[in-house]
């Protein structure tokens, strides 16, 4: 996964290729600042695609934001943020994977 911080919107062709393992790998190799910046890139991209009516990409980005904040990043309040974004992902595109992760996130971290 390659993130360009000078381009805050993840390209349309790349959004659906990003998975949770990519986020884990990024977190392990990135600086503290880039770890945080990735979360904002995910949110910016989510809002962009949602605003343009692309619910599939918006849902995937919402899932990625939920996963990233809940699993590798885990800032204070991560449980609540993760639930918000996972519920959003499910409302935009109710995939079984998203529902499975919601159950995990409801247990807290």
């Amino acid at each position: 996964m390659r993130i360009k911080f000078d381009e805050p919107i993840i390209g349309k062709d790349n959004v659906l290729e990003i998975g949770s393992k990519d986020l884990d790998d990024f977190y392990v190799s990135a600086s503290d600042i880039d770890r945080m910046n990735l979360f904002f890139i995910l949110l910016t991209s989510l809002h962009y695609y949602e605003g343009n009516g692309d619910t599939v990409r918006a849902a995937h980005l919402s899932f990625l934001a939920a996963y990233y904040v809940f699993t590798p990043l885990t800032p204070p309040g991560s449980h609540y943020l993760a639930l918000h974004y996972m519920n959003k992902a499910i409302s935009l595109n109710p995939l079984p994977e998203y529902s499975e992760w919601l159950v995990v996130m409801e247990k807290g971290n």
Side-chain angles (χ1 to χ4, degrees):
M1 179 177 79
R2 193 150 191 154
I3 299 295
K4 297 178 184 176
F5 292 111
D6 59 332
E7 296 177 21
I9 308 297
I10 299 171
K12 185 176 184 175
D13 295 336
N14 299 325
V15 170
L16 299 176
E17 295 176 1
I18 300 170
S20 56
K21 182 171 178 356
D22 297 313
L23 299 179
D24 292 337
D25 292 345
F26 181 88
Y27 184 85
V28 168
S29 64
S31 69
D32 288 342
I33 291 173
D34 285 349
R35 289 173 179 165
M36 293 300 296
N37 282 339
L38 176 58
F39 183 68
F40 291 104
I41 293 287
L42 293 170
L43 290 182
T44 301
S45 299
L46 161 61
H47 290 287
Y48 174 81
Y49 289 107
E50 186 176 25
N52 284 299
D54 191 337
T55 56
V56 171
R57 282 180 180 77
H60 189 65
L61 287 158
S62 196
F63 160 73
L64 293 174
Y67 176 85
Y68 190 66
V69 76
F70 184 78
T71 304
L73 199 56
T74 61
S78 62
H79 171 249
Y80 298 105
L81 289 169
L83 288 175
H84 171 80
Y85 288 107
M86 192 55 70
N87 280 312
K88 182 179 197 71
I90 292 167
S91 73
L92 291 169
N93 189 16
L95 296 178
E97 178 184 13
Y98 302 163
S99 296
E100 290 166 13
W101 268 104
L102 179 63
V103 171
V104 171
M105 292 175 181
E106 287 175 334
K107 295 176 185 173
N109 52 355

